[in-house]
Amino acid sequence: MTSLLPILTFHDIMNRPSVISIPSEVFRKGIDKLYQSGYRTLRLTDIADFIRSRVPFPDRFFVLTFDDGYASVYNEAFPILNRYGMSATVFLTVGDEKASRKGRERLPSLGGRVMLSWEEIREMQRTGFEFGAHTLTHPDLTRLPPDQAKSEICESKKIISDTLGIPVKSFSYPYGRYNEQIRDIVRQHFVCACSDKLGAVSRKSDIYALERVEMYYFRSHNRFNIIGTSLFPWYMRAVSIPRRFKRYLQYA
Ligand SMILES: [Zn+2]
């Protein structure tokens, strides 16, 4: 039994350096190391159940999440995770209804990147991957009028559940931004939601603002290998201080 459990957040997996990508070799070796150390994946919605029912987390488990829905989730991460019997939750930015009605094969591009196709999403779904909502157009929800924010949240859920024929239970706030009003809308429509608060989840975590481990801070072999060791909580604390300072400057 353990009191803390990490939810890892990835975006794109590619060798071109960027703030939202991690090299495929680092991903492959990092996942292999976690597997060899006895780590296995839990579903994100299981975490919400553990917290709700006040049951301690099992040892040597973690959760994998991917935000946005880049094609590299299918091309790079899926074959590796499949090999180890691991699963993940992928948060999809699905585009507005008009675009989805056109039967667009791929999700609309974010930042010029190639996104997942619904065919790829269905294939991953068949092996146990879960899909959560990440809005229609990836806005900062806190800057939208309430009606528009509600439509971004609820319409994206509807498009995914209609297309895949499954209930959509989890949500991820674009840029990690939310306020009480946004959290309240999400609470009425989802089982849990992920924020970008840096940290591991505990029994005290808010299930509508779950902490996550942004893999930007672990994008080299040496740093990835810290996950699952006793150094991990120390390293997380060390990176969260400059991050909070940066946020303070951003809003000052
Ligand atoms: Zn995003």
Side-chain angles (χ1 to χ4, degrees):
M1 303 291 179
T2 179
S3 56
L4 292 172
L5 193 141
I7 301 175
L8 310 185
T9 313
F10 297 89
H11 291 81
D12 210 355
I13 295 178
M14 64 186 302
N15 294 323
R16 182 155 46 92
S18 91
V19 291
I20 61 160
S21 65
I22 180 169
S24 45
E25 200 51 17
V26 172
F27 181 81
R28 191 183 63 75
K29 287 192 173 160
I31 292 293
D32 181 70
K33 177 91 188 305
L34 283 170
Y35 183 82
Q36 301 307 338
S37 312
Y39 277 88
R40 301 293 181 266
T41 50
L42 275 176
R43 288 182 308 183
L44 181 64
T45 43
D46 293 335
I47 301 300
D49 290 342
F50 282 122
I51 296 172
R52 271 204 181 97
S53 51
R54 299 173 187 275
V55 173
F57 304 130
D59 267 336
R60 292 190 181 264
F61 278 91
F62 67 106
V63 175
L64 287 166
T65 61
F66 292 85
D67 276 14
D68 302 339
Y70 299 108
S72 60
V73 177
Y74 178 80
N75 297 327
E76 303 285 344
F78 179 54
I80 293 165
L81 297 177
N82 218 358
R83 198 178 311 148
Y84 295 112
M86 292 182 174
S87 65
T89 297
V90 188
F91 292 105
L92 305 174
T93 301
V94 291
D96 58 26
E97 241 188 319
K98 227 186 291 165
S100 75
R101 265 205 299 266
K102 272 189 214 156
R104 205 192 271 267
E105 197 207 331
R106 287 190 183 275
L107 302 177
S109 178
L110 286 178
R113 291 166 192 257
V114 182
M115 311 302 284
L116 287 168
S117 73
W118 286 106
E119 208 40 54
E120 292 163 347
I121 292 168
R122 278 196 196 92
E123 189 180 333
M124 291 190 282
Q125 186 196 358
R126 286 194 286 271
T127 69
F129 272 47
E130 288 191 325
F131 295 90
H134 196 43
T135 72
L136 299 171
T137 63
H138 207 276
D140 174 351
L141 291 168
T142 63
R143 290 172 181 254
L144 294 184
D147 277 2
Q148 210 178 327
K150 191 174 177 191
S151 137
E152 286 275 351
I153 294 164
C154 298
E155 288 304 310
S156 58
K157 174 183 170 168
K158 188 175 180 320
I159 289 173
I160 301 168
S161 66
D162 286 355
T163 312
L164 299 181
I166 47 148
V168 173
K169 297 177 180 170
S170 53
F171 184 81
S172 164
Y173 304 101
Y175 313 105
R177 304 266 170 86
Y178 67 97
N179 55 27
E180 266 317 299
Q181 210 170 17
I182 298 297
R183 183 188 172 284
D184 209 47
I185 300 169
V186 168
R187 190 178 55 76
Q188 290 171 38
H189 296 91
F190 294 90
V191 168
C192 61
C194 290
S195 72
D196 73 340
K197 271 193 283 179
L198 196 60
V201 289
S202 73
R203 286 165 69 187
K204 290 183 182 159
S205 291
D206 175 355
I207 56 174
Y208 290 100
L210 292 167
E211 297 88 346
R212 291 197 289 177
V213 178
E214 173 52 67
M215 293 306 289
Y216 167 77
Y217 298 106
F218 297 89
R219 64 192 187 283
S220 70
H221 289 298
N222 288 343
R223 289 186 195 177
F224 202 128
N225 287 343
I226 291 173
I227 300 169
T229 70
S230 54
L231 279 178
F232 177 62
W234 296 97
Y235 181 71
M236 292 285 287
R237 240 169 276 159
V239 294
S240 70
I241 294 164
R243 180 178 156 109
R244 278 204 296 267
F245 185 61
K246 218 162 79 187
R247 284 242 152 146
Y248 168 76
L249 289 180
Q250 213 173 18
Y251 288 103

